[in-house]
Amino acid sequence: MLSWMIISGLVNGEKESYCKYGKIKEVRMIQRYLGIDIGASSIKYGIGDSKQGLQYFASIRLQSKDRATFSRIFEDIFAEAADWDLAGIGIGSPGTISQPEAIIRGVNPNIPFLSGMSPKELVPAELDLPIFVDNDANLMTLAEAEYYKAESCMGVTVGSGIGSGMVLDGQIYHGSHGYAAELGHCNMVPGGESCSCGQHGCLEAYSSVDGIYRRLRAQGSLYANRLLPELIERRSDVNELDKIISEGEEVLIRALANLVIVMDPELIVLGGGGMELGLYNINRIREAVGHLLPQAHRETFRCELAGYGNRSGVMGGIILCERNLI
Amino acid sequence: MLSWMIISGLVNGEKESYCKYGKIKEVRMIQRYLGIDIGASSIKYGIGDSKQGLQYFASIRLQSKDRATFSRIFEDIFAEAADWDLAGIGIGSPGTISQPEAIIRGVNPNIPFLSGMSPKELVPAELDLPIFVDNDANLMTLAEAEYYKAESCMGVTVGSGIGSGMVLDGQIYHGSHGYAAELGHCNMVPGGESCSCGQHGCLEAYSSVDGIYRRLRAQGSLYANRLLPELIERRSDVNELDKIISEGEEVLIRALANLVIVMDPELIVLGGGGMELGLYNINRIREAVGHLLPQAHRETFRCELAGYGNRSGVMGGIILCERNLI
């Protein structure tokens, strides 16, 4: 308990703490892990382990998405983390990541410069720490599977894009080539809205926050420049908003139902900024997904909001790292 | 090699064989397994093991689908199999099967009497053999994964219904409650054609053989009473036929693409009577699925026809049994 209290002091940015014998400069008693969650709009990071949870958490809003900005942010994070005795780093990134090389493959529309490189390259070379990388939604799902004590869990994040991950038998499922769980690019509307991936009719083109803005812009809507909370608030009064958000929800519901029908998971967890702000309603989703399921699946279907909230990705990075090192 | 030759004699229905020392009445040297594949239009069965393959195969066309008929057929199969030294029985059945109880759950539209019972009940009680049951498409996929030496394989059968199975890391994936891989009941067309499962717009309602006939009947088509080979042959001349079969293929293509996007399998195998008769074209499917995939998935996507053909289900029953007993 003492070490926890001292470390709490460090968490608050104080490099010195006190115990009954006097001042303590640094505490390096327990090995901890750094989790970094690269998102389309922010980079979140935190320090902790699976037993004690997060002992530090911070978020940096992205002003630009070029490599130089990312490198600077990463340098700052590591400078800040230098006071901790880190045992390893777990990084979550959007995109399709080949395993075990951790190269981001294919188009990465939200952070284009990441395509073809590994997020490991963002870590200063002089830092001699083991680094593990996985898809951000995979890490969110790993954390949520631990949170809900589920052996089999599907995680879906509604944010700038639609992310998804699968945990089967307690392990992240990567598929045969590392490209599994790209739910956001399932074809939901034949010949539908164009998606940032180059295809048409993807789930992401309808149900992600960016997808909703893109559709509003295409209609020349005044709301295309407003913030998401305003869109959600004005939805009940403004037909064009309600129509586009309802369609986003309906397409998401069908995708979730199909995921349950194919995977029969113990649990589906919904997270991401969109869910946190209330873009879609979890109760409505639960009910509507249930209506689309065959009887046997309906009886066992369970859907929850992310227990770790917007810290799921960071926590997942920490758990990934810990699992690989212990 | 001798034992194989003698057994070949038995396979051909001869109960007596000859080797250089004279007549041999019965051969019980190698333990074998009986695989039974319950289909909507026939019951197929065979004897063999994974090393030597099928050494006997037969198919009984179903005239009626009541329990009494099934019991009689099963009795005949076991009477016929009495000459073999069977070590166990592996049964494949359509429907959602709870594991490990092997009870068929939910609606089973193609063979209604099976709902709520276990196919084990069809095996005469006096037969003291271990029995293993799994979904017919799961067993087809298990056999095909072995045929193509794939660790991860998705199998889809186009027949009276659409069956599907998943093999992950060499094992059948059942999901958390035994209800995984019900691809045929994925919602592909919102508010679309009604399906025998009670839902609307399922893959099965568009792409299965029964689905195609149901749509032809609904249009009052003369072709609703013709056999499938005639439908396939006349397709290029008859617009209504071409439209319905093309839509079935298009919906199947989208479902397969989404399966690849979510599961990233080593291989997809297509089987079932519809594929064997050429209802859909494997090359066209390969090409069209590829067009719907994100770049990374497109590069690794592989799709083949069932290597064991219409014997996949029986072979899968045999492999299931062997794996459980060895």
Side-chain angles (χ1 to χ4, degrees):
Chain A
M1 201 57 206
L2 184 65
S3 77
W4 159 257
M5 286 159 63
I6 293 168
I7 287 162
S8 293
L10 269 170
V11 168
N12 295 327
E14 296 159 23
K15 303 278 161 60
E16 296 171 345
S17 296
Y18 296 88
C19 71
K20 60 180 181 178
Y21 305 110
K23 212 175 190 177
I24 296 172
K25 198 74 181 166
E26 275 188 43
V27 181
R28 302 201 173 196
M29 289 166 65
I30 302 167
Q31 285 206 319
R32 304 201 185 280
Y33 311 95
L34 172 65
I36 302 178
D37 181 13
I38 302 173
S41 56
S42 68
I43 293 182
K44 304 185 184 79
Y45 59 103
I47 293 168
D49 60 34
S50 66
K51 281 198 192 65
Q52 305 214 39
L54 276 176
Q55 283 143 53
Y56 181 86
F57 178 82
S59 180
I60 298 170
R61 197 144 191 91
L62 288 169
Q63 303 296 335
S64 63
K65 297 184 190 176
D66 53 286
R67 179 156 181 171
T69 305
F70 269 63
S71 294
R72 265 199 310 279
I73 292 174
F74 266 64
E75 272 168 29
D76 288 351
I77 293 173
F78 290 114
E80 203 179 341
D83 296 325
W84 297 76
D85 187 24
L86 293 178
I89 303 164
I91 304 177
S93 162
T96 304
I97 299 169
S98 73
Q99 295 289 353
E101 311 86 7
I103 305 289
I104 300 183
R105 302 296 299 275
V107 182
N108 200 336
N110 291 323
I111 312 170
F113 89 87
L114 281 175
S115 287
M117 68 171 278
S118 169
K120 290 183 184 183
E121 297 171 36
L122 295 166
V123 180
E126 62 271 21
L127 237 89
D128 191 25
L129 284 175
I131 311 168
F132 305 93
V133 182
D134 214 312
N135 174 275
D136 52 355
N138 283 353
L139 294 185
M140 170 270 198
T141 311
L142 185 66
E144 294 301 325
E146 178 130 339
Y147 183 90
Y148 284 108
K149 310 284 174 234
E151 277 295 292
S152 133
C153 179
M154 312 281 116
V156 179
T157 59
V158 178
S160 305
I162 298 285
S164 74
M166 296 195 211
V167 166
L168 305 180
D169 289 329
Q171 303 292 322
I172 294 174
Y173 175 77
H174 290 108
S176 289
H177 317 90
Y179 307 151
E182 286 290 335
L183 193 73
H185 298 291
C186 280
N187 184 297
M188 299 307 294
V189 181
E193 298 280 345
S194 65
C195 181
S196 53
C197 75
Q199 295 287 1
H200 289 261
C202 297
L203 168 63
E204 184 163 295
Y206 287 84
S207 310
S208 71
V209 174
D210 282 7
I212 286 171
Y213 278 112
R214 210 175 301 125
R215 296 189 75 196
L216 287 170
R217 269 199 302 280
Q219 294 188 5
S221 168
L222 292 171
Y223 290 92
N225 298 316
R226 308 290 171 80
L227 291 177
L228 189 59
E230 189 183 342
L231 264 53
I232 296 168
E233 198 193 319
R234 299 298 311 278
R235 178 182 168 183
S236 56
D237 304 324
V238 183
N239 258 350
E240 60 177 339
L241 276 181
D242 189 54
K243 185 170 179 292
I244 285 178
I245 297 176
S246 296
E247 281 176 8
E249 192 170 66
E250 186 273 329
V251 174
L252 177 63
I253 283 162
R254 270 197 296 133
L256 293 176
N258 289 351
L259 189 63
V260 172
I261 289 167
V262 170
M263 295 309 297
D264 179 26
E266 206 174 320
L267 175 69
I268 284 192
V269 175
L270 300 180
M275 290 308 299
E276 270 193 273
L277 289 171
L279 175 62
Y280 306 128
N281 179 286
I282 181 90
N283 292 320
R284 206 160 47 223
I285 287 175
R286 273 193 201 113
E287 195 184 331
V289 170
H291 281 307
L292 290 179
L293 296 178
Q295 185 192 322
H297 295 76
R298 198 181 306 147
E299 290 168 7
T300 52
F301 164 61
R302 187 181 168 206
C303 182
E304 303 289 349
L305 284 172
Y308 283 118
N310 70 346
R311 302 174 179 199
S312 283
V314 167
M315 197 60 212
I318 289 169
I319 295 170
L320 175 75
C321 200
E322 188 179 292
R323 287 218 186 154
N324 273 287
L325 291 176
I326 291 180
Chain B
M1 202 56 207
L2 183 65
S3 77
W4 160 257
M5 286 159 66
I6 292 168
I7 287 162
S8 293
L10 267 170
V11 168
N12 294 327
E14 295 160 24
K15 302 278 160 62
E16 295 171 345
S17 295
Y18 297 87
C19 72
K20 61 179 179 176
Y21 305 110
K23 210 175 194 176
I24 295 171
K25 195 75 182 167
E26 276 187 42
V27 180
R28 303 202 173 196
M29 288 166 66
I30 302 167
Q31 285 206 320
R32 306 201 183 279
Y33 311 95
L34 172 65
I36 302 178
D37 181 13
I38 301 173
S41 56
S42 67
I43 294 182
K44 302 186 185 77
Y45 58 102
I47 294 168
D49 60 33
S50 67
K51 279 199 194 66
Q52 305 215 38
L54 276 176
Q55 282 142 55
Y56 181 87
F57 178 81
S59 179
I60 298 171
R61 196 146 191 91
L62 287 170
Q63 303 296 334
S64 62
K65 296 183 191 178
D66 54 287
R67 179 157 182 169
T69 305
F70 270 62
S71 294
R72 263 199 312 277
I73 292 174
F74 267 63
E75 273 169 30
D76 288 351
I77 293 174
F78 291 113
E80 202 178 341
D83 295 325
W84 296 76
D85 186 25
L86 293 178
I89 303 163
I91 304 176
S93 163
T96 304
I97 298 169
S98 72
Q99 296 288 353
E101 311 85 7
I103 305 289
I104 300 182
R105 302 294 300 275
V107 181
N108 200 335
N110 289 324
I111 313 170
F113 89 87
L114 280 175
S115 286
M117 68 172 278
S118 169
K120 289 184 185 184
E121 297 172 37
L122 294 167
V123 179
E126 62 272 20
L127 236 88
D128 192 26
L129 284 175
I131 311 168
F132 304 93
V133 182
D134 214 311
N135 173 275
D136 51 355
N138 284 352
L139 294 186
M140 170 269 199
T141 311
L142 185 67
E144 293 302 325
E146 178 129 341
Y147 183 89
Y148 284 107
K149 309 286 173 234
E151 277 295 293
S152 132
C153 179
M154 314 279 115
V156 178
T157 58
V158 178
S160 305
I162 297 285
S164 75
M166 295 194 210
V167 166
L168 304 180
D169 289 329
Q171 303 292 324
I172 293 174
Y173 175 76
H174 289 108
S176 289
H177 317 90
Y179 306 151
E182 286 289 335
L183 193 73
H185 298 291
C186 280
N187 184 297
M188 299 307 294
V189 182
E193 298 280 344
S194 66
C195 180
S196 53
C197 75
Q199 295 287 1
H200 290 261
C202 297
L203 167 63
E204 184 163 297
Y206 288 84
S207 310
S208 71
V209 174
D210 282 8
I212 285 171
Y213 277 112
R214 211 176 300 124
R215 297 188 75 195
L216 286 171
R217 270 198 303 278
Q219 294 187 7
S221 167
L222 291 171
Y223 291 91
N225 298 315
R226 307 290 171 80
L227 292 177
L228 189 59
E230 190 183 342
L231 262 55
I232 297 167
E233 198 192 318
R234 299 299 310 280
R235 179 182 168 182
S236 55
D237 304 325
V238 183
N239 260 348
E240 60 176 341
L241 276 181
D242 190 54
K243 185 170 178 294
I244 286 180
I245 296 176
S246 295
E247 281 176 8
E249 193 171 65
E250 185 274 329
V251 174
L252 177 64
I253 283 162
R254 271 198 294 133
L256 293 176
N258 289 350
L259 188 64
V260 173
I261 289 167
V262 171
M263 296 308 298
D264 179 26
E266 204 173 323
L267 174 69
I268 284 191
V269 175
L270 301 179
M275 290 307 299
E276 270 193 274
L277 288 170
L279 174 61
Y280 306 129
N281 180 285
I282 181 89
N283 292 320
R284 206 159 48 222
I285 288 175
R286 272 193 201 114
E287 196 184 330
V289 169
H291 282 306
L292 291 178
L293 296 179
Q295 186 192 321
H297 295 76
R298 199 181 306 148
E299 289 168 8
T300 52
F301 164 61
R302 186 182 169 206
C303 182
E304 301 290 348
L305 284 172
Y308 283 119
N310 71 345
R311 302 175 178 197
S312 282
V314 166
M315 198 59 212
I318 288 168
I319 294 170
L320 176 75
C321 200
E322 187 178 292
R323 287 221 187 152
N324 274 287
L325 291 177
I326 291 181

